């Protein structure tokens, strides 16, 4: 069974600084997708970034980038130039890809606080 | 506008009662999911469905039931067999297949269930 682990329950960063959130996963599949979702206090889940396992290039979305290490099964999220609005719960997620679709599995979450 | 709608936003249940949480989407998505969110435990998968009239148990299905009679709807019933139902419940939907740009899951705004 696939599992996703986020070992940092809480993280803190100074405004304008950079922070990295960690995520590891376990799977025997070769084709899959990885995601980072953000959940602000409103509790609405927002997709931050996605990574296809078959791509070696790390995904980037503006101030957000990932470090995808497929052999190590590691998928960390880097937030550059942190802003107050980045404060939220962040979830790492995994989805297998096949013709029958696949369930979306989440980690335990990391609560990020941003200090002004 | 396309989206996914959960109702009600808040729900109170007396012990021993069954309650049903509604989830409707107009995104033409095949796959739908139910998650339970508790502090410190992330999102845990209760049930998921890839197509109409078919669904699978997730990691914590005991005490819950679902149906998928229509593509747009995936209601969750919390039965009296669920011993600790107080939690935040999130419904999500996604395309079942179709490549990387179709893998994103869209979430409802959640239902907060409290046992009184």
């Amino acid at each position: 069974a696939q599992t996703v682990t986020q070992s940092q329950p809480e993280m803190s960063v100074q405004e304008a600084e950079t922070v990295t959130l960690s995520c590891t996963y376990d799977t025997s599949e070769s084709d899959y997708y990885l995601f980072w979702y953000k959940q602000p206090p409103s509790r609405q889940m927002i997709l931050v970034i996605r990574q296809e396992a078959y791509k070696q290039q790390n995904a980037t979305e503006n101030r957000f980038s990932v470090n995808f290490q497929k052999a190590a099964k590691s998928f960390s999220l880097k937030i550059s130039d942190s802003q107050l609005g980045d404060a939220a719960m962040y979830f790492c997620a995994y989805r297998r890809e096949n013709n029958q679709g696949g369930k979306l599995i989440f980690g335990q979450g990391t609560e990020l606080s941003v200090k002004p | 506008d396309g989206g996914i709608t959960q109702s009600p936003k808040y729900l109170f249940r007396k012990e021993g009662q069954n309650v049903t949480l509604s989830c409707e989407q107009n995104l033409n998505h095949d796959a739908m999911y139910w998650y339970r969110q508790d502090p410190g435990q992330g999102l845990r998968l209760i049930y998921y469905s890839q197509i109409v009239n078919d669904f699978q148990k997730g990691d914590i299905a005991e005490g819950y039931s679902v149906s998928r009679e229509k593509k747009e709807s995936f209601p969750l019933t919390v039965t009296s067999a669920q011993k600790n139902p107080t939690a935040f419940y999130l419904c999500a939907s996604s395309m079942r297949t179709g490549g990387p740009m179709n893998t994103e899951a869209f979430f409802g705004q959640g239902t907060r269930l409290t046992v009184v």
Side-chain angles (χ1 to χ4, degrees), chain A residues 56-76:
Chain A
Q56 292 186 343
Q57 185 174 6
N58 290 324
T60 62
E61 287 286 344
N62 301 313
R63 298 183 294 107
F64 299 88
S65 61
V66 298
N67 183 2
F68 173 48
Q69 302 289 329
K70 190 172 185 179
K73 297 180 182 175
S74 170
F75 183 60
S76 61

Side-chain angles (χ1 to χ4, degrees), chain A residues 34-52:
Chain A
L34 296 165
F35 309 86
W36 279 98
Y37 280 87
K38 171 184 178 180
Q39 188 183 44
S42 68
R43 307 198 84 166
Q44 179 67 54
M45 296 286 282
I46 303 165
L47 178 67
V48 175
I49 199 165
R50 93 185 88 210
Q51 174 79 42
E52 295 87 356

Side-chain angles (χ1 to χ4, degrees), chain B residues 4 34 109:
Chain B
I4 181 165
W34 273 107
Q109 293 188 307

Side-chain angles (χ1 to χ4, degrees), chain B residues 1-5 24-29 93 106-107:
Chain B
D1 287 338
I4 181 165
T5 302
E24 303 275 338
Q25 54 96 2
N26 60 3
L27 299 166
N28 199 33
H29 285 167
S93 71
F106 292 79
F107 286 81

